[in-house]
């Protein structure tokens, strides 16, 4: 009975992962295509603004939440995985888990270079070391794994706070290369300076930071771990929803107040941004937990997203890895559906193409789901 209860309770995590992957793997493009079709190309400015990344230092949009949510959900699933490792590993569980963590971190790092780091070019001058969400996940996962193996929930909370405060203090007060601390310009801040200094020509040339920012990636992953611990350990589901909601409000309030001192900036993963994004992640997890774990009559609504979320890594690689025309998945779907879609007029072809390509993707994922075939890293 206990195992069955746990399976029901993590519907929310699987479904939320699926929602995130849906948006990343074509959901946003599908929304844009539908909007163009409904309005004859007059897409509402608010929709365009919220489904594109904000410019450096220009706030935070819904699309900016996709990457932090991915990292957060990785953390939320970790307490369940590590509890399983502990139950099966006996006295050697830390050693076996450490080997799993090292393997996963290495694979995520390499896959990140494959997706955006030009690894397949075999040209060192074109490659970038840190350049992709998967590498941010690798950094956060490594830090959170060490904390999970070394201590309990109190240690996890203190570690998270320590990482948040450390990154804030370094970015805010540490001088570098003749510059004072507290600069948050696109080409002049401590995190980017460290990236350029350590990576040299292998830096990806964008205003995104990676090395020092691993402190923030670790903190956000640990905030996800806290969300997973609440779902896993709190027996009364009503209490777990309240705790998740309380965490959401606390993070949003702290992120907002801190933004008067440190800007909410996704490119640098500032501490205020981590808290602000984590607040929305906690809120979504609370909503999904209420809808799909606490209220069983609505659990069926989670199934389409669970199918996507169960093979999140495969979905991400298909949608983000460059292919012959666009992504790998576009390279498959364009020859199949483009000519058929062009039979329609106005803005219908784009909508038809997006609907058919995503329907095919979901059916492929459903086939894998039914046969329990999952790409694990």
């Amino acid at each position: 009975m206990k195992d069955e209860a746990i399976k029901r309770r993590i519907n929310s995590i699987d479904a939320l992962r699926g929602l995130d992957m849906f948006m990343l793997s074509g959901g946003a493009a599908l929304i844009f295509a539908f909007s163009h079709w409904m309005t004859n190309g007059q897409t509402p400015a608010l929709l365009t603004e919220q489904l594109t990344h904000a410019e450096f230092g220009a706030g935070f949009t819904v699309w900016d939440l996709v990457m932090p949510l991915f990292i957060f959900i990785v953390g939320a699933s970790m307490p369940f995985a590590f509890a399983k490792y502990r139950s099966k590993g006996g006295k050697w569980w830390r050693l076996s888990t450490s080997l799993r963590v090292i393997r996963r971190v290495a694979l995520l790092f390499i896959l990140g270079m494959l997706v955006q780091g030009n690894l397949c070019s075999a040209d060192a001058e074109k490659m970038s070391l840190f350049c992709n969400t998967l590498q941010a996940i690798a950094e956060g996962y490594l830090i959170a794994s060490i904390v999970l193996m070394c201590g309990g929930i109190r240690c996890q909370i203190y570690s998270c706070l320590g990482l948040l405060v450390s990154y804030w203090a370094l970015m805010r007060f540490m001088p570098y290369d003749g510059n004072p601390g507290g600069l948050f310009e696109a080409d002049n801040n401590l995190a980017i300076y460290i990236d350029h200094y350590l990576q040299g020509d292998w830096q990806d040339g964008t205003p995104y930071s990676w090395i020092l920012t691993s402190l923030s990636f670790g903190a956000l992953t640990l905030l996800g771990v806290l969300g997973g611990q609440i779902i896993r350990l709190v027996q009364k589901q009503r209490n777990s929803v309240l705790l998740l909601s309380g965490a959401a409000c606390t993070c949003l309030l702290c992120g907002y107040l801190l933004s008067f001192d440190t800007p909410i900036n996704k490119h640098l993963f500032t501490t205020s941004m981590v808290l602000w994004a984590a607040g929305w992640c906690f809120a979504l997890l609370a909503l999904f937990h209420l809808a799909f774990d606490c209220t069983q009559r609505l659990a069926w609504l989670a199934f389409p997203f669970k199918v996507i979320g169960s093979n999140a890594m495969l979905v991400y690689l298909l949608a983000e890895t460059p292919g012959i025309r666009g992504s790998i998945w576009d390279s498959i779907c364009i020859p199949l559906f483009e000519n058929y879609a062009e039979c329609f007029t106005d803005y219908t072809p784009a909508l038809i193409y997006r609907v058919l390509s995503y329907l095919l993707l979901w059916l492929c994922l459903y086939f894998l789901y039914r046969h329990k075939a999952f790409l694990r890293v």
Side-chain angles (χ1 to χ4, degrees):
M1 291 293 292
K2 185 177 180 180
D3 291 341
E4 186 62 30
I6 290 177
K7 288 180 181 179
R8 288 199 305 270
R9 290 167 70 89
I10 60 173
N11 279 340
S12 54
I13 296 176
D14 293 335
L16 188 54
R17 184 191 299 111
L19 173 64
D20 198 43
M21 287 299 100
F22 166 74
M23 294 299 294
L24 194 62
S25 62
L30 185 59
I31 293 172
F32 271 123
F34 183 76
S35 174
H36 288 165
W37 179 71
M38 288 288 293
T39 61
N40 290 323
Q42 302 299 317
T43 304
L46 180 62
L47 180 64
T48 302
E49 175 187 342
Q50 290 300 315
L51 289 184
T52 53
H53 287 301
E55 296 294 330
F56 189 97
F60 189 85
T61 67
V62 171
W63 193 243
D64 286 329
L65 185 61
V66 173
M67 176 186 175
L69 182 59
F70 198 176
I71 298 173
F72 181 90
I73 289 298
V74 169
S77 63
M78 288 178 69
F80 300 94
F82 276 67
K84 183 172 66 175
Y85 299 157
R86 185 191 296 266
S87 65
K88 293 182 179 181
K91 64 180 180 179
W92 298 103
W93 82 273
R94 283 190 175 86
L95 176 60
S96 61
T97 302
S98 297
L99 294 176
R100 287 190 182 96
V101 169
I102 293 171
R103 180 183 65 86
R104 190 178 195 194
V105 168
L107 286 174
L108 285 170
F109 193 89
I110 293 170
L111 288 174
M113 289 188 68
L114 178 68
V115 172
Q116 281 184 288
N118 296 314
L119 182 62
C120 291
S121 69
D123 185 349
E125 294 184 357
K126 296 180 180 179
M127 293 182 190
S128 302
L129 284 177
F130 291 91
C131 51
N132 185 259
T133 300
L134 295 181
Q135 293 163 331
I137 292 173
E139 293 178 292
Y141 179 77
L142 176 61
I143 294 171
S145 297
I146 294 171
V147 175
L148 269 169
M149 287 189 288
C150 293
I153 294 179
R154 183 175 298 180
C155 175
Q156 294 158 23
I157 294 174
Y158 289 158
S159 298
C160 180
L161 291 174
L163 290 168
L164 289 171
V165 172
S166 296
Y167 187 63
W168 168 78
L170 289 170
M171 291 291 291
R172 189 70 176 78
F173 300 112
M174 184 174 179
Y176 60 95
D177 196 33
N179 295 298
L183 296 179
F184 295 94
E185 301 170 6
D187 57 352
N188 191 15
N189 59 77
L190 177 63
I192 287 294
Y193 171 76
I194 291 175
D195 276 3
H196 281 295
Y197 183 81
L198 294 180
Q199 295 185 67
D201 294 337
W202 284 33
Q203 205 268 341
D204 65 357
T206 71
Y208 285 92
S209 59
W210 302 96
I211 297 176
L212 183 63
T213 314
S214 62
L215 298 176
S216 279
F217 298 148
L220 183 56
T221 308
L222 283 171
L223 286 167
V225 168
L226 178 60
Q229 296 283 30
I230 291 173
I231 293 177
R232 176 174 171 264
L233 298 177
V234 176
Q235 295 299 315
K236 292 185 178 180
Q237 294 177 329
R238 180 186 302 176
N239 291 343
S240 58
V241 172
L242 290 175
L243 285 171
L244 290 171
S245 301
C249 294
T250 301
C251 287
L252 286 171
L253 178 61
C254 291
Y256 174 73
L257 293 176
L258 188 59
S259 69
F260 290 98
D261 175 81
T262 303
I264 294 177
N265 188 312
K266 176 179 174 289
H267 294 78
L268 301 178
F269 251 71
T270 55
T271 302
S272 56
M273 193 289 299
V274 171
L275 291 169
W276 183 254
W280 291 112
C281 292
F282 273 118
L284 286 170
L285 185 57
L287 177 63
F288 274 54
H289 184 47
L290 176 64
F292 302 139
D293 296 334
C294 303
T295 309
Q296 289 301 305
R297 69 182 64 181
L298 296 178
W300 63 273
L301 291 172
F303 180 73
F305 294 120
K306 285 184 65 176
V307 170
I308 301 170
S310 64
N311 250 318
M313 187 57 60
L314 176 62
V315 173
Y316 182 84
L317 293 175
L318 288 174
E320 294 295 310
T321 306
I324 298 174
R325 299 178 65 182
S327 67
I328 288 178
W329 190 246
D330 281 330
S331 299
I332 295 171
C333 292
I334 287 175
L336 292 176
F337 303 127
E338 188 175 50
N339 289 337
Y340 174 74
E342 292 297 333
C343 295
F344 298 86
T345 58
D346 297 328
Y347 295 94
T348 306
L351 178 61
I352 294 295
Y353 170 76
R354 291 297 174 187
V355 170
L356 291 177
S357 62
Y358 208 91
L359 178 61
L360 178 61
L361 176 61
W362 191 90
L363 290 174
C364 292
L365 295 173
Y366 176 69
F367 175 83
L368 296 174
Y369 181 86
R370 286 292 303 272
H371 290 82
K372 301 186 186 304
F374 308 117
L375 177 62
R376 303 298 190 199
V377 175

